[in-house]
Amino acid sequence: MTDALKRLSDEGVAIWLDDLSRKRITSGALGELLDEQHVVGVTTNPTIFQKAISAGDGYEQQVSDLAARRVSVDEALRMITTADVRDAADVLRPVFDATDSKDGRVSIEVDPRLAHNTKATVAEARQLAWLVDRPNTFIKIPATKAGLSAITETIGLGISVNVTLIFSLERYRAVMDAYMAGLEKAKSLGLDLSQIHSVASFFVSRVDTEIDKRLSAIGTEQAKKLKSKAAVANARLAYQEYEKVVASDRWQALERAGANQQRPLWASTGVKDPSLPDTLYVTELVAPNTVNTMPEATLEATADHGEIAGDRVRGSYEDAQAVLDAIAELGISYDDVVQVLEDEGVSKFEDSWNDLLKSTEAELQRLAPKEA
């Protein structure tokens, strides 16, 4: 079952699980994925926590204690989520140590309601890093315009960051610039750059979902031929941008000072269109020094029948650009697509967070001690 995952790992792709729950930690299921499925990291987001906590498994005692203390719903939610991340980080600590801090990491996201507030995002990142208090934590910051400055400030404090919700090549370039600016700031403060890590989460499947919808509306034969090609092409061109940056004089100077490369991370790799191969966004995006964070269904599909044919990214840039050019020629605006996706991404995480606040508040009220 794990041969394909081992081959993927051997190609330089770090396999991360895009899911976390308390039951997964306490049952030993997370540890089994590390031992048997080559998983070396975990990512979370508001939607993942909303599903886990709403299911209720393993949370009642902590919620009862929080209700007895009469904490606010916001504080309760942070205590619950950071507890899960802290415990997961402890499970992954051996991987962190074995990979010299490159992997074995767990990501936790800042409150999505702060996505357009730089100062509040930095404050939240600092608070989360303090609350979790584990060296193998990534703080997730969305790549909104306000998020770019927050990335620089947070990296400059020596806090490792997972930059999320990247859809466009232009924004990805800005993210890499923000990371380097943060490292330069950290260096000026005398911080050890070798202890700062980052990944840049470039979203994949949602690009096909949005562009394919527009291609279907056009309905021509040319439009049909281009369906389900944009996401992989976009991600491959992102890797080309990564290669340009790591070859630059600016990056080389930082690397000589001990800095770690900001690895491209392929996110949203679960296939949304059932007509597509369920391992499409894994097998077609194999490249060295990348991360692929997968929902469990995608992980299992890759283990079962994924065909890993080596590096599928380098050398594909001309064809990838041709795909995006052909889509543009049909009148589909790339800039509009990626802006819609960013806005929807932030909105979906806000909605999940608000749903989570409501369900947590209901549980706090249900378990609150009765007045004497």
Side-chain angles (χ1 to χ4, degrees):
M1 284 287 289
T2 61
D3 284 351
L5 295 175
K6 183 179 186 304
R7 288 197 295 274
L8 188 63
S9 181
D10 289 344
E11 289 289 342
V13 179
I15 301 166
W16 291 8
L17 177 70
D18 194 25
D19 189 48
L20 185 65
S21 68
R22 189 158 297 180
K23 184 177 181 180
R24 187 185 289 279
I25 298 167
T26 58
S27 68
L30 178 59
E32 289 176 5
L33 289 176
L34 308 186
D35 295 337
E36 301 171 10
Q37 301 283 51
H38 301 278
V39 170
V40 294
V42 171
T43 49
T44 68
N45 60 46
T47 302
I48 287 171
F49 276 128
Q50 194 273 333
K51 290 177 181 177
I53 296 173
S54 296
D57 291 335
Y59 294 97
E60 185 160 302
Q61 182 60 61
Q62 186 181 15
V63 175
S64 180
D65 290 345
L66 292 165
R69 292 172 50 214
R70 302 190 184 282
V71 304
S72 70
V73 64
D74 286 277
E75 183 182 353
L77 190 51
R78 272 311 180 207
M79 292 300 102
I80 294 166
T81 56
T82 54
D84 279 359
V85 170
R86 186 183 308 114
D87 289 345
D90 288 343
V91 174
L92 274 94
R93 183 58 189 263
V95 177
F96 177 78
D97 293 336
T99 60
D100 193 24
S101 75
K102 186 175 184 179
D103 282 305
R105 291 180 173 269
V106 186
S107 299
I108 182 169
E109 190 150 350
V110 298
D111 185 331
R113 296 171 298 178
L114 307 178
H116 301 294
N117 185 325
T118 299
K119 187 174 181 179
T121 294
V122 175
E124 174 92 340
R126 196 198 313 258
Q127 176 75 356
L128 286 173
W130 177 82
L131 278 171
V132 176
D133 193 27
R134 294 294 185 271
N136 52 327
T137 307
F138 271 132
I139 306 303
K140 291 180 79 173
I141 296 176
T144 58
K145 289 181 180 178
L148 295 173
S149 297
I151 292 159
T152 295
E153 292 300 313
T154 304
I155 290 292
L157 293 170
I159 297 172
S160 294
V161 173
N162 176 344
V163 183
T164 188
L165 287 178
I166 308 171
F167 296 97
S168 79
L169 298 171
E170 180 182 5
R171 186 59 55 82
Y172 180 41
R173 287 189 287 266
V175 165
M176 291 187 285
D177 182 76
Y179 176 54
M180 289 188 287
L183 289 172
E184 289 160 350
K185 192 166 190 175
K187 182 182 176 185
S188 72
L189 295 173
L191 300 182
D192 182 356
L193 300 191
S194 70
Q195 299 304 303
I196 305 171
H197 286 258
S198 183
V199 292
S201 297
F202 201 86
F203 277 51
V204 185
S205 67
R206 297 186 195 183
V207 173
D208 270 344
T209 300
E210 181 63 27
I211 289 182
D212 285 0
K213 178 175 66 177
R214 301 184 187 205
L215 289 170
S216 294
I218 294 171
T220 63
E221 285 303 311
Q222 176 65 3
K224 291 176 183 177
K225 289 178 182 178
L226 289 168
K227 287 186 68 175
S228 306
K229 293 183 177 180
V232 168
N234 196 40
R236 287 172 172 171
L237 291 173
Y239 194 85
Q240 182 183 35
E241 296 301 324
Y242 156 75
E243 287 194 309
K244 290 177 183 176
V245 165
V246 297
S248 69
D249 291 342
R250 184 183 183 190
W251 174 255
Q252 293 299 317
L254 285 165
E255 198 160 60
R256 285 193 296 271
N260 299 290
Q261 291 183 13
Q262 183 186 54
R263 286 181 292 171
L265 180 152
W266 311 130
S268 183
T269 56
V271 172
K272 305 293 192 295
D273 184 344
S275 70
L276 297 175
D278 53 4
T279 63
L280 176 69
Y281 303 127
V282 177
T283 59
E284 294 303 304
L285 293 175
V286 177
N289 207 35
T290 57
V291 179
N292 195 307
T293 182
M294 310 177 198
E296 190 167 20
T298 304
L299 179 73
E300 291 175 349
T302 303
D304 181 63
H305 53 265
E307 297 182 4
I308 309 303
D311 187 341
R312 298 284 294 158
V313 175
R314 292 181 297 181
S316 69
Y317 306 140
E318 187 175 337
D319 289 342
Q321 187 61 58
V323 168
L324 295 191
D325 289 345
I327 290 169
E329 287 172 6
L330 291 176
I332 295 174
S333 168
Y334 178 87
D335 290 342
D336 183 66
V337 166
V338 295
Q339 188 60 58
V340 165
L341 290 171
E342 179 183 308
D343 293 343
E344 286 182 352
V346 172
S347 178
K348 286 176 182 177
F349 281 169
E350 285 182 356
D351 290 345
S352 293
W353 195 256
N354 288 328
D355 288 344
L356 185 49
L357 286 169
K358 290 176 185 176
S359 59
T360 302
E361 185 172 32
E363 283 296 282
L364 287 169
Q365 291 174 354
R366 182 178 73 84
L367 296 169
K370 305 301 180 188
E371 294 292 343

Tab-separated table of all heavy atoms in Angstrom, residues 2 30-39:
chain	number	residue	atom	x	y	z
A	2	THR	N	2.076	1.215	0.479
A	2	THR	CA	2.838	2.448	0.642
A	2	THR	C	3.918	2.655	-0.406
A	2	THR	O	4.663	3.613	-0.332
A	2	THR	CB	3.501	2.477	2.033
A	2	THR	OG1	4.401	1.374	2.147
A	2	THR	CG2	2.456	2.405	3.140
A	30	LEU	N	-2.883	9.048	13.995
A	30	LEU	CA	-1.901	9.964	13.419
A	30	LEU	C	-0.514	9.334	13.429
A	30	LEU	O	0.215	9.399	12.428
A	30	LEU	CB	-1.889	11.289	14.186
A	30	LEU	CG	-0.873	12.335	13.719
A	30	LEU	CD1	-1.090	12.695	12.258
A	30	LEU	CD2	-0.950	13.592	14.593
A	31	GLY	N	-0.149	8.727	14.529
A	31	GLY	CA	1.143	8.058	14.616
A	31	GLY	C	1.287	6.951	13.586
A	31	GLY	O	2.368	6.753	13.016
A	32	GLU	N	0.178	6.244	13.306
A	32	GLU	CA	0.224	5.172	12.302
A	32	GLU	C	0.505	5.722	10.912
A	32	GLU	O	1.227	5.096	10.116
A	32	GLU	CB	-1.102	4.414	12.301
A	32	GLU	CG	-1.314	3.541	13.534
A	32	GLU	CD	-2.672	2.886	13.544
A	32	GLU	OE1	-3.423	3.042	12.540
A	32	GLU	OE2	-3.001	2.233	14.553
A	33	LEU	N	-0.059	6.904	10.604
A	33	LEU	CA	0.208	7.507	9.299
A	33	LEU	C	1.686	7.868	9.155
A	33	LEU	O	2.252	7.753	8.064
A	33	LEU	CB	-0.653	8.758	9.110
A	33	LEU	CG	-2.145	8.534	8.910
A	33	LEU	CD1	-2.879	9.866	8.845
A	33	LEU	CD2	-2.417	7.726	7.653
A	34	LEU	N	2.306	8.301	10.237
A	34	LEU	CA	3.732	8.611	10.194
A	34	LEU	C	4.546	7.345	9.971
A	34	LEU	O	5.507	7.342	9.188
A	34	LEU	CB	4.181	9.277	11.500
A	34	LEU	CG	3.411	10.498	12.005
A	34	LEU	CD1	4.117	11.083	13.228
A	34	LEU	CD2	3.271	11.554	10.928
A	35	ASP	N	4.160	6.277	10.643
A	35	ASP	CA	4.920	5.032	10.587
A	35	ASP	C	4.705	4.257	9.287
A	35	ASP	O	5.622	3.613	8.780
A	35	ASP	CB	4.539	4.132	11.763
A	35	ASP	CG	4.939	4.730	13.105
A	35	ASP	OD1	5.853	5.576	13.124
A	35	ASP	OD2	4.324	4.357	14.117
A	36	GLU	N	3.486	4.338	8.741
A	36	GLU	CA	3.116	3.444	7.645
A	36	GLU	C	2.892	4.124	6.307
A	36	GLU	O	2.962	3.477	5.264
A	36	GLU	CB	1.845	2.662	8.028
A	36	GLU	CG	2.003	1.827	9.290
A	36	GLU	CD	0.691	1.236	9.761
A	36	GLU	OE1	-0.307	1.322	8.997
A	36	GLU	OE2	0.652	0.683	10.881
A	37	GLN	N	2.596	5.430	6.309
A	37	GLN	CA	2.219	6.100	5.062
A	37	GLN	C	3.141	7.257	4.695
A	37	GLN	O	2.782	8.081	3.850
A	37	GLN	CB	0.771	6.623	5.172
A	37	GLN	CG	-0.270	5.546	5.459
A	37	GLN	CD	-0.622	4.724	4.235
A	37	GLN	OE1	0.266	4.226	3.559
A	37	GLN	NE2	-1.894	4.598	3.941
A	38	HIS	N	4.296	7.337	5.323
A	38	HIS	CA	5.305	8.356	4.974
A	38	HIS	C	4.816	9.783	5.191
A	38	HIS	O	5.353	10.720	4.582
A	38	HIS	CB	5.790	8.168	3.534
A	38	HIS	CG	6.404	6.831	3.272
A	38	HIS	ND1	7.713	6.547	3.581
A	38	HIS	CD2	5.880	5.684	2.767
A	38	HIS	CE1	7.975	5.282	3.257
A	38	HIS	NE2	6.879	4.747	2.777
A	39	VAL	N	3.806	9.966	6.033
A	39	VAL	CA	3.328	11.311	6.360
A	39	VAL	C	4.341	11.980	7.285
A	39	VAL	O	4.790	11.383	8.265
A	39	VAL	CB	1.937	11.257	7.022
A	39	VAL	CG1	1.544	12.625	7.577
A	39	VAL	CG2	0.895	10.777	6.017
